[in-house]
Amino acid sequence: MAVQISPSILSADFARLADEAARVENVADWLHVDVMDYHFVPNLTLGLPVVESLLKTTATPVDCHLMIHDPDRWAPDYAEAGAASVTIHAEAAKAAVRTLRAIRAAGARAGLALNPATAVEGYEDLLPEIDMMLVMTVEPGFGGQRFLDIVLPKLARARALIDKHGGEVWLQVDGGVSAETIERCAEAGADVFVAGNAVYGADDPARAVQELRTLAERATPPRW
Ligand code: DX5
Ligand code: ZN
């Protein structure tokens, strides 16, 4: 899989989301939208109505990261609304297989996210049910946190499991990804990179996306 960059609008200006999305259009592969409900994480952002409006204003595929207490109830709605990728948290889902299948049935890519303290090994059997695994490199809830290096060995183990199974599962990292840390993530096997502060905190977000992409491409080990 080629390197893909997914800027997180969590670090953008929420009063001008259409403009902020336009700043990375044609440069970013995805637009990462963090849905937080103040239950699964101690922060509150936006929900389905805002995602529906955003989908009307941008041509960039939307990558919804659901940090919510009840993804089984809500995830299919995001897929039906037109999000091209919907990721649920393993720690929150009570019926992960059913929900992942419902996301796919609604036409979206299905993602499964793991918090820093969640082991990847327990989810090996779910690989055929997912299109992307998200390995969190911060505790979810806030942008601008420091990258957790302790997650890198797990990221490498996730890559090994995915390669062993031979499917087309993408491996995403989210949290503290920047020009300082992206190469470590690529070396460990990530191929989809979420960046909030590193993109929307930059003077030129489009240029920041290109710089991150170049760094990740250079650091990606050859695979065959
Ligand atoms: C955090 C969110 C991230 C956040 C990343 O819980 O899932 O997507 O926006 O922001 P940075 O890149 O600033 O750490
Ligand atoms: Zn996120």
Side-chain angles (χ1 to χ4, degrees), residues 57-146:
T57 72
T58 181
T60 310
V62 168
D63 162 31
C64 280
H65 175 195
L66 304 184
M67 285 159 278
I68 59 177
H69 172 69
D70 192 1
D72 304 301
R73 159 69 183 82
W74 291 102
D77 289 359
Y78 286 86
E80 274 154 28
S85 178
V86 178
T87 297
I88 61 170
H89 265 267
E91 303 83 3
K94 291 178 191 67
V97 174
R98 184 176 70 216
T99 302
L100 292 163
R101 288 184 179 184
I103 293 169
R104 280 180 164 178
R109 297 179 62 88
L112 184 71
L114 306 179
N115 280 344
T118 303
V120 65
E121 284 73 16
Y123 296 96
E124 185 174 352
D125 292 341
L126 281 192
L127 288 175
E129 302 291 336
I130 65 175
D131 301 295
M132 183 167 79
M133 177 175 280
L134 164 52
V135 171
M136 291 301 300
T137 41
V138 297
E139 295 289 359
F142 298 92
Q145 298 184 75
R146 206 186 150 96

Coordinates of all heavy atoms in Angstrom, one line a residue, residues 57-146:
T57 N -19.6 19.2 1.4 CA -18.7 20.3 1.0 C -17.4 19.9 0.5 O -16.6 20.7 0.0 CB -18.5 21.3 2.2 OG1 -17.6 20.6 3.1 CG2 -19.8 21.7 2.9
T58 N -17.0 18.6 0.7 CA -15.7 18.2 0.4 C -15.7 17.0 -0.6 O -16.5 16.1 -0.4 CB -14.8 17.9 1.6 OG1 -13.5 17.5 1.2 CG2 -15.4 16.8 2.5
A59 N -14.7 17.0 -1.5 CA -14.6 15.8 -2.4 C -13.6 14.8 -1.8 O -13.4 13.7 -2.3 CB -14.1 16.3 -3.7
T60 N -12.9 15.2 -0.7 CA -11.9 14.3 -0.1 C -12.7 13.2 0.7 O -13.6 13.6 1.4 CB -11.0 15.1 0.9 OG1 -10.5 16.2 0.2 CG2 -9.9 14.2 1.4
P61 N -12.3 12.0 0.5 CA -13.0 10.9 1.3 C -12.9 11.2 2.8 O -11.8 11.6 3.3 CB -12.3 9.6 0.9 CG -11.5 10.0 -0.4 CD -11.3 11.4 -0.4
V62 N -14.0 10.9 3.5 CA -14.0 11.2 4.9 C -13.7 9.9 5.7 O -14.3 8.8 5.5 CB -15.3 11.8 5.3 CG1 -15.5 11.9 6.9 CG2 -15.4 13.3 4.8
D63 N -12.8 10.0 6.7 CA -12.3 8.9 7.5 C -12.8 9.2 9.0 O -12.2 10.0 9.6 CB -10.8 8.9 7.4 CG -10.0 8.2 8.5 OD1 -10.5 7.2 9.0 OD2 -8.9 8.6 8.7
C64 N -13.9 8.6 9.3 CA -14.5 8.8 10.6 C -13.9 7.9 11.7 O -14.0 6.7 11.6 CB -16.0 8.6 10.6 SG -16.9 10.0 9.9
H65 N -13.4 8.5 12.8 CA -12.8 7.8 13.9 C -13.8 8.0 15.1 O -13.9 9.1 15.6 CB -11.5 8.4 14.2 CG -10.8 7.9 15.4 ND1 -9.7 8.5 16.0 CD2 -11.0 6.7 16.1 CE1 -9.3 7.7 17.0 NE2 -10.1 6.7 17.2
L66 N -14.5 7.0 15.4 CA -15.6 7.1 16.4 C -15.1 6.8 17.8 O -14.9 5.6 18.1 CB -16.8 6.2 16.1 CG -17.4 6.3 14.7 CD1 -18.6 5.4 14.5 CD2 -17.8 7.8 14.4
M67 N -14.9 7.8 18.6 CA -14.5 7.6 20.0 C -15.7 7.8 20.8 O -15.9 8.8 21.5 CB -13.4 8.6 20.3 CG -12.0 8.2 19.8 SD -10.9 9.6 19.7 CE -11.5 10.3 18.2
I68 N -16.6 6.8 20.7 CA -17.9 6.9 21.4 C -18.2 5.6 22.1 O -17.7 4.6 21.8 CB -19.0 7.3 20.3 CG1 -19.1 6.2 19.3 CG2 -18.8 8.6 19.7 CD1 -20.3 6.4 18.3
H69 N -19.1 5.8 23.1 CA -19.4 4.7 24.0 C -20.2 3.6 23.3 O -20.1 2.4 23.6 CB -20.2 5.3 25.2 CG -20.8 4.3 26.1 ND1 -20.1 3.5 26.9 CD2 -22.1 3.9 26.3 CE1 -20.9 2.7 27.6 NE2 -22.1 2.9 27.2
D70 N -21.0 4.0 22.3 CA -21.9 3.0 21.7 C -21.7 2.9 20.2 O -22.7 3.3 19.4 CB -23.4 3.3 22.1 CG -24.3 2.1 21.8 OD1 -23.8 1.1 21.2 OD2 -25.5 2.3 22.0
P71 N -20.6 2.5 19.7 CA -20.4 2.4 18.2 C -21.3 1.5 17.5 O -21.7 1.7 16.4 CB -18.9 2.0 18.1 CG -18.6 1.3 19.4 CD -19.4 1.9 20.4
D72 N -21.8 0.5 18.2 CA -22.7 -0.5 17.6 C -24.0 0.2 17.1 O -24.5 -0.1 16.1 CB -23.1 -1.6 18.6 CG -21.8 -2.3 19.1 OD1 -21.1 -2.9 18.3 OD2 -21.6 -2.3 20.3
R73 N -24.4 1.2 17.9 CA -25.6 1.9 17.6 C -25.4 2.9 16.4 O -26.2 3.1 15.6 CB -26.1 2.7 18.9 CG -27.0 3.8 18.6 CD -28.4 3.4 18.1 NE -29.3 4.5 17.8 CZ -29.3 5.2 16.7 NH1 -28.4 5.0 15.7 NH2 -30.1 6.2 16.5
W74 N -24.2 3.6 16.4 CA -24.0 4.7 15.6 C -23.2 4.5 14.3 O -23.3 5.2 13.3 CB -23.4 5.9 16.4 CG -24.3 6.5 17.3 CD1 -24.4 6.2 18.7 CD2 -25.5 7.3 17.1 NE1 -25.4 6.9 19.3 CE2 -26.1 7.6 18.3 CE3 -26.0 7.9 15.9 CZ2 -27.2 8.4 18.4 CZ3 -27.1 8.7 16.0 CH2 -27.7 8.9 17.2
A75 N -22.3 3.6 14.3 CA -21.3 3.4 13.2 C -21.9 3.2 11.9 O -21.6 3.9 10.9 CB -20.3 2.3 13.5
P76 N -23.0 2.4 11.8 CA -23.6 2.2 10.4 C -24.1 3.5 9.9 O -24.1 3.7 8.7 CB -24.6 1.1 10.7 CG -24.2 0.4 11.9 CD -23.5 1.4 12.7
D77 N -24.6 4.3 10.7 CA -25.2 5.6 10.3 C -24.2 6.5 9.6 O -24.5 7.2 8.6 CB -25.9 6.4 11.4 CG -27.1 5.8 11.9 OD1 -27.5 4.7 11.4 OD2 -27.7 6.3 12.9
Y78 N -23.0 6.5 10.1 CA -21.9 7.3 9.5 C -21.6 6.7 8.1 O -21.3 7.5 7.1 CB -20.6 7.3 10.4 CG -20.8 8.2 11.6 CD1 -21.4 7.7 12.7 CD2 -20.5 9.5 11.5 CE1 -21.6 8.6 13.8 CE2 -20.7 10.4 12.6 CZ -21.2 9.9 13.8 OH -21.5 10.7 14.8
A79 N -21.6 5.4 8.0 CA -21.3 4.8 6.7 C -22.4 5.1 5.7 O -22.2 5.5 4.6 CB -21.1 3.3 6.9
E80 N -23.6 5.0 6.2 CA -24.8 5.3 5.3 C -24.8 6.8 4.9 O -25.2 7.1 3.8 CB -26.1 4.9 6.0 CG -26.4 3.4 5.8 CD -27.3 2.9 6.9 OE1 -28.1 3.6 7.5 OE2 -27.2 1.6 7.1
A81 N -24.3 7.6 5.7 CA -24.3 9.1 5.4 C -23.2 9.3 4.3 O -23.3 10.4 3.7 CB -23.9 9.9 6.7
G82 N -22.3 8.4 4.1 CA -21.3 8.6 3.0 C -19.9 8.7 3.4 O -19.0 8.9 2.6
A83 N -19.6 8.5 4.7 CA -18.2 8.4 5.1 C -17.6 7.2 4.4 O -18.2 6.1 4.4 CB -18.1 8.2 6.6
A84 N -16.4 7.4 3.8 CA -15.8 6.3 3.1 C -15.1 5.3 4.0 O -14.8 4.1 3.6 CB -14.8 6.8 2.0
S85 N -14.8 5.7 5.2 CA -14.2 4.8 6.2 C -14.7 5.1 7.5 O -14.9 6.3 7.9 CB -12.6 5.0 6.2 OG -12.0 4.2 7.1
V86 N -15.1 4.1 8.3 CA -15.6 4.3 9.6 C -14.9 3.3 10.6 O -14.9 2.1 10.4 CB -17.1 4.0 9.7 CG1 -17.7 4.1 11.1 CG2 -17.9 4.9 8.7
T87 N -14.3 3.9 11.6 CA -13.5 3.1 12.5 C -14.1 3.1 13.9 O -14.4 4.2 14.4 CB -12.0 3.7 12.6 OG1 -11.4 3.6 11.3 CG2 -11.2 3.0 13.7
I88 N -14.2 2.0 14.5 CA -14.8 1.8 15.8 C -13.7 1.4 16.8 O -12.7 0.8 16.3 CB -16.0 0.8 15.9 CG1 -15.5 -0.6 15.4 CG2 -17.1 1.3 15.0 CD1 -16.5 -1.7 15.7
H89 N -13.9 1.6 18.1 CA -12.9 1.2 19.0 C -13.2 -0.2 19.6 O -14.3 -0.5 19.9 CB -12.8 2.2 20.2 CG -11.7 3.2 20.0 ND1 -10.4 3.0 20.5 CD2 -11.7 4.3 19.3 CE1 -9.7 4.0 20.1 NE2 -10.4 4.9 19.4
A90 N -12.2 -1.0 19.6 CA -12.3 -2.4 20.1 C -12.8 -2.4 21.6 O -13.6 -3.2 22.0 CB -11.0 -3.1 20.0
E91 N -12.4 -1.3 22.3 CA -12.7 -1.3 23.8 C -14.2 -0.9 24.0 O -14.7 -1.1 25.1 CB -11.8 -0.2 24.5 CG -10.3 -0.5 24.3 CD -9.8 0.1 23.0 OE1 -10.5 0.7 22.2 OE2 -8.6 -0.1 22.7
A92 N -14.8 -0.3 23.0 CA -16.2 0.2 23.1 C -17.2 -0.8 22.5 O -18.3 -0.9 23.0 CB -16.3 1.6 22.5
A93 N -16.8 -1.4 21.4 CA -17.8 -2.2 20.7 C -18.2 -3.5 21.6 O -17.4 -4.1 22.1 CB -17.3 -2.7 19.4
K94 N -19.5 -3.7 21.6 CA -20.0 -4.9 22.3 C -20.3 -6.0 21.3 O -20.4 -7.2 21.7 CB -21.3 -4.6 23.1 CG -20.9 -3.7 24.3 CD -22.2 -3.3 25.1 CE -21.9 -2.2 26.1 NZ -21.5 -0.9 25.4
A95 N -20.5 -5.6 20.0 CA -20.7 -6.6 19.0 C -19.9 -6.2 17.8 O -20.4 -5.8 16.7 CB -22.2 -6.7 18.6
A96 N -18.6 -6.3 17.9 CA -17.7 -5.7 16.9 C -17.9 -6.4 15.5 O -17.9 -5.7 14.5 CB -16.2 -5.9 17.3
V97 N -18.1 -7.7 15.5 CA -18.2 -8.4 14.2 C -19.5 -7.9 13.5 O -19.4 -7.5 12.3 CB -18.2 -9.9 14.4 CG1 -18.5 -10.6 13.0 CG2 -16.9 -10.4 14.9
R98 N -20.6 -7.8 14.2 CA -21.8 -7.3 13.6 C -21.7 -5.9 13.1 O -22.1 -5.6 12.0 CB -23.0 -7.4 14.6 CG -24.3 -7.1 14.0 CD -25.4 -7.3 15.0 NE -25.4 -6.3 16.1 CZ -25.7 -6.5 17.4 NH1 -26.1 -7.7 17.7 NH2 -25.6 -5.6 18.3
T99 N -21.0 -5.1 13.9 CA -20.9 -3.7 13.5 C -20.0 -3.5 12.4 O -20.3 -2.7 11.4 CB -20.5 -2.8 14.8 OG1 -21.5 -3.0 15.8 CG2 -20.4 -1.4 14.5
L100 N -18.9 -4.2 12.4 CA -17.9 -4.1 11.2 C -18.6 -4.5 9.9 O -18.4 -3.9 8.9 CB -16.7 -4.9 11.5 CG -15.8 -4.4 12.7 CD1 -14.8 -5.5 13.1 CD2 -15.0 -3.1 12.2
R101 N -19.4 -5.6 10.0 CA -20.1 -6.1 8.9 C -21.2 -5.1 8.4 O -21.4 -4.9 7.2 CB -20.7 -7.4 9.1 CG -19.7 -8.5 9.2 CD -20.3 -9.9 9.4 NE -19.2 -10.9 9.4 CZ -19.4 -12.2 9.5 NH1 -20.6 -12.7 9.6 NH2 -18.3 -13.0 9.5
A102 N -21.8 -4.4 9.4 CA -22.8 -3.4 9.0 C -22.1 -2.2 8.3 O -22.7 -1.6 7.4 CB -23.6 -2.9 10.2
I103 N -20.9 -1.8 8.7 CA -20.2 -0.7 8.1 C -19.9 -1.1 6.6 O -20.2 -0.3 5.7 CB -18.9 -0.4 8.9 CG1 -19.2 0.2 10.2 CG2 -18.0 0.5 8.1 CD1 -18.0 0.2 11.2
R104 N -19.4 -2.3 6.4 CA -19.1 -2.7 5.1 C -20.4 -2.9 4.2 O -20.4 -2.5 3.1 CB -18.4 -4.1 5.1 CG -16.9 -4.0 5.5 CD -16.3 -5.4 5.5 NE -14.8 -5.3 5.4 CZ -14.1 -6.4 5.5 NH1 -14.6 -7.6 5.6 NH2 -12.8 -6.3 5.4
A105 N -21.4 -3.4 4.8 CA -22.7 -3.5 4.1 C -23.2 -2.2 3.6 O -23.9 -2.1 2.6 CB -23.7 -4.2 4.9
A106 N -22.9 -1.1 4.4 CA -23.3 0.2 4.0 C -22.4 0.9 3.0 O -22.5 2.0 2.6 CB -23.5 1.1 5.2
G107 N -21.3 0.1 2.6 CA -20.5 0.6 1.5 C -19.2 1.3 2.0 O -18.5 1.9 1.1
A108 N -18.9 1.3 3.3 CA -17.7 2.0 3.7 C -16.6 0.9 4.1 O -16.9 -0.2 4.2 CB -18.0 2.8 4.9
R109 N -15.4 1.4 4.2 CA -14.3 0.6 4.7 C -14.5 0.5 6.2 O -14.8 1.5 6.9 CB -12.9 1.2 4.4 CG -12.7 1.3 2.9 CD -11.3 1.9 2.6 NE -10.2 1.1 3.2 CZ -9.6 0.1 2.6 NH1 -9.9 -0.2 1.4 NH2 -8.6 -0.5 3.2
A110 N -14.2 -0.7 6.8 CA -14.4 -0.9 8.2 C -13.1 -0.9 9.0 O -12.2 -1.6 8.6 CB -15.1 -2.2 8.5
G111 N -13.0 0.0 10.0 CA -11.8 0.1 10.8 C -11.9 -0.3 12.2 O -13.0 -0.1 12.8
L112 N -10.9 -0.9 12.8 CA -10.9 -1.2 14.2 C -9.7 -0.5 14.9 O -8.6 -0.7 14.5 CB -10.8 -2.8 14.3 CG -10.9 -3.3 15.8 CD1 -12.3 -3.2 16.3 CD2 -10.4 -4.7 15.9
A113 N -10.0 0.2 15.9 CA -9.0 1.0 16.6 C -8.6 0.4 18.0 O -9.5 -0.2 18.7 CB -9.5 2.4 16.9
L114 N -7.4 0.5 18.3 CA -6.9 -0.1 19.6 C -6.2 1.0 20.4 O -5.3 1.7 19.9 CB -5.8 -1.2 19.3 CG -6.3 -2.4 18.4 CD1 -5.1 -3.3 18.3 CD2 -7.5 -3.1 19.0
N115 N -6.6 1.2 21.6 CA -6.0 2.2 22.5 C -4.5 1.7 22.8 O -4.2 0.5 22.6 CB -6.7 2.3 23.8 CG -7.9 3.2 23.7 OD1 -8.1 3.9 22.7 ND2 -8.9 3.1 24.6
P116 N -3.7 2.6 23.3 CA -2.3 2.2 23.6 C -2.2 1.0 24.5 O -1.2 0.2 24.3 CB -1.7 3.5 24.3 CG -2.5 4.6 23.7 CD -3.9 4.1 23.5
A117 N -3.1 0.8 25.4 CA -2.9 -0.3 26.4 C -3.6 -1.6 25.9 O -3.6 -2.6 26.6 CB -3.4 0.0 27.7
T118 N -4.2 -1.6 24.7 CA -4.9 -2.7 24.2 C -4.0 -3.6 23.3 O -3.4 -3.1 22.4 CB -6.2 -2.3 23.4 OG1 -7.0 -1.5 24.2 CG2 -7.0 -3.5 22.9
A119 N -3.9 -4.9 23.7 CA -3.0 -5.7 22.9 C -3.6 -6.1 21.5 O -4.8 -6.2 21.4 CB -2.7 -7.0 23.7
V120 N -2.8 -6.2 20.5 CA -3.2 -6.5 19.2 C -3.5 -8.0 19.0 O -4.4 -8.3 18.2 CB -2.2 -6.0 18.1 CG1 -0.9 -6.7 18.2 CG2 -2.8 -6.1 16.7
E121 N -2.9 -8.8 19.8 CA -3.0 -10.3 19.5 C -4.4 -10.8 19.7 O -4.8 -11.6 18.9 CB -2.0 -11.0 20.5 CG -0.6 -11.0 20.1 CD 0.1 -9.6 20.4 OE1 -0.5 -8.8 21.1 OE2 1.2 -9.3 19.8
G122 N -5.2 -10.2 20.6 CA -6.5 -10.6 20.8 C -7.4 -10.4 19.6 O -8.6 -10.9 19.5
Y123 N -7.0 -9.6 18.6 CA -7.8 -9.2 17.5 C -7.4 -9.8 16.2 O -7.9 -9.5 15.1 CB -7.9 -7.7 17.4 CG -8.6 -7.1 18.6 CD1 -7.8 -6.7 19.7 CD2 -9.9 -7.2 18.7 CE1 -8.4 -6.3 20.9 CE2 -10.6 -6.8 19.9 CZ -9.8 -6.3 21.0 OH -10.5 -5.9 22.1
E124 N -6.5 -10.8 16.2 CA -6.0 -11.4 15.0 C -7.1 -12.1 14.2 O -7.2 -11.9 13.0 CB -4.9 -12.5 15.4 CG -4.3 -13.1 14.2 CD -3.1 -14.1 14.6 OE1 -2.8 -14.1 15.8 OE2 -2.6 -14.8 13.7
D125 N -8.0 -12.7 14.9 CA -9.1 -13.4 14.2 C -10.1 -12.4 13.5 O -10.9 -12.8 12.7 CB -9.9 -14.3 15.2 CG -9.1 -15.5 15.6 OD1 -8.1 -15.8 15.0 OD2 -9.4 -16.1 16.7
L126 N -10.0 -11.2 13.9 CA -10.9 -10.2 13.3 C -10.4 -9.6 12.0 O -11.1 -8.9 11.3 CB -11.2 -9.0 14.2 CG -12.2 -9.3 15.3 CD1 -12.6 -8.0 16.0 CD2 -13.5 -9.9 14.8
L127 N -9.1 -9.9 11.6 CA -8.5 -9.3 10.4 C -9.3 -9.5 9.2 O -9.4 -8.5 8.4 CB -7.1 -9.8 10.2 CG -6.0 -9.3 11.2 CD1 -4.7 -9.9 11.0 CD2 -5.9 -7.8 11.1
P128 N -10.0 -10.7 9.0 CA -10.8 -10.8 7.7 C -12.0 -9.8 7.7 O -12.6 -9.6 6.7 CB -11.2 -12.2 7.7 CG -10.3 -12.9 8.7 CD -9.9 -11.9 9.7
E129 N -12.4 -9.3 8.9 CA -13.6 -8.5 9.0 C -13.3 -7.0 8.8 O -14.2 -6.2 8.9 CB -14.2 -8.7 10.4 CG -14.6 -10.1 10.7 CD -15.8 -10.6 9.8 OE1 -16.6 -9.8 9.4 OE2 -15.9 -11.8 9.6
I130 N -12.0 -6.7 8.7 CA -11.6 -5.2 8.7 C -10.8 -4.9 7.5 O -10.2 -5.7 6.9 CB -10.9 -4.8 10.0 CG1 -9.5 -5.4 10.1 CG2 -11.7 -5.1 11.2 CD1 -8.7 -4.9 11.3
D131 N -10.9 -3.5 7.1 CA -10.1 -3.0 6.0 C -9.0 -2.2 6.6 O -8.1 -1.8 5.8 CB -11.0 -2.1 5.2 CG -12.2 -2.9 4.6 OD1 -12.0 -3.8 3.8 OD2 -13.4 -2.7 5.0
M132 N -9.0 -1.8 7.8 CA -8.0 -1.0 8.4 C -7.9 -1.2 9.9 O -8.9 -1.4 10.6 CB -8.3 0.5 8.2 CG -7.2 1.4 8.7 SD -7.4 3.1 8.1 CE -8.7 3.7 9.1
M133 N -6.7 -1.3 10.4 CA -6.5 -1.3 11.9 C -5.9 0.0 12.3 O -4.9 0.5 11.6 CB -5.6 -2.5 12.3 CG -5.3 -2.5 13.8 SD -4.4 -4.0 14.3 CE -5.6 -5.2 14.3
L134 N -6.4 0.6 13.3 CA -5.9 1.9 13.8 C -5.2 1.6 15.1 O -5.8 1.2 16.1 CB -7.0 2.9 14.0 CG -6.7 4.2 14.8 CD1 -5.4 4.9 14.4 CD2 -7.9 5.1 14.8
V135 N -3.9 1.9 15.2 CA -3.1 1.7 16.4 C -2.9 3.1 17.0 O -2.2 4.0 16.3 CB -1.8 1.0 16.1 CG1 -0.9 1.1 17.4 CG2 -2.0 -0.4 15.8
M136 N -3.6 3.4 18.1 CA -3.5 4.8 18.7 C -2.1 5.0 19.3 O -1.6 4.1 20.1 CB -4.5 5.0 19.8 CG -6.0 5.0 19.3 SD -6.3 6.4 18.1 CE -5.9 7.8 19.1
T137 N -1.5 6.1 19.0 CA -0.2 6.4 19.5 C -0.2 7.6 20.5 O 0.8 8.1 20.9 CB 0.8 6.8 18.3 OG1 0.1 7.6 17.4 CG2 1.3 5.5 17.7
V138 N -1.5 7.8 21.0 CA -1.7 8.6 22.2 C -3.0 8.0 22.8 O -3.7 7.3 22.2 CB -2.0 10.1 21.9 CG1 -0.8 10.8 21.3 CG2 -3.2 10.4 21.1
E139 N -3.2 8.4 24.1 CA -4.6 8.1 24.6 C -5.6 8.9 23.9 O -5.4 10.2 23.8 CB -4.6 8.4 26.1 CG -3.7 7.5 27.0 CD -4.1 6.0 27.1 OE1 -5.2 5.6 26.5 OE2 -3.4 5.3 27.8
P140 N -6.7 8.4 23.4 CA -7.6 9.2 22.6 C -8.3 10.2 23.4 O -8.5 10.0 24.6 CB -8.6 8.1 22.0 CG -8.5 7.0 23.0 CD -7.1 6.9 23.5
G141 N -8.6 11.3 22.7 CA -9.4 12.3 23.4 C -9.0 13.8 23.0 O -9.9 14.6 23.0
F142 N -7.8 14.0 22.8 CA -7.3 15.3 22.5 C -6.2 15.4 21.4 O -5.4 14.4 21.3 CB -6.7 15.9 23.8 CG -7.8 16.0 24.9 CD1 -7.9 15.0 25.8 CD2 -8.6 17.1 25.0 CE1 -8.9 15.0 26.8 CE2 -9.6 17.2 26.0 CZ -9.7 16.1 26.9
G143 N -6.2 16.4 20.7 CA -5.1 16.7 19.7 C -3.9 17.2 20.4 O -4.0 17.6 21.6
G144 N -2.8 17.3 19.7 CA -1.6 17.9 20.3 C -0.9 17.2 21.4 O -0.1 17.8 22.1
Q145 N -1.2 15.9 21.6 CA -0.5 15.2 22.7 C 0.8 14.7 22.2 O 1.1 14.5 21.0 CB -1.3 14.0 23.2 CG -2.7 14.4 23.8 CD -3.4 13.2 24.3 OE1 -3.0 12.7 25.3 NE2 -4.4 12.7 23.6
R146 N 1.7 14.3 23.1 CA 3.0 13.7 22.8 C 2.9 12.3 22.3 O 2.2 11.5 22.9 CB 3.8 13.8 24.1 CG 5.3 13.9 23.9 CD 5.9 13.8 25.3 NE 7.2 13.2 25.1 CZ 8.3 13.8 25.0 NH1 8.3 15.2 25.1 NH2 9.5 13.2 24.8

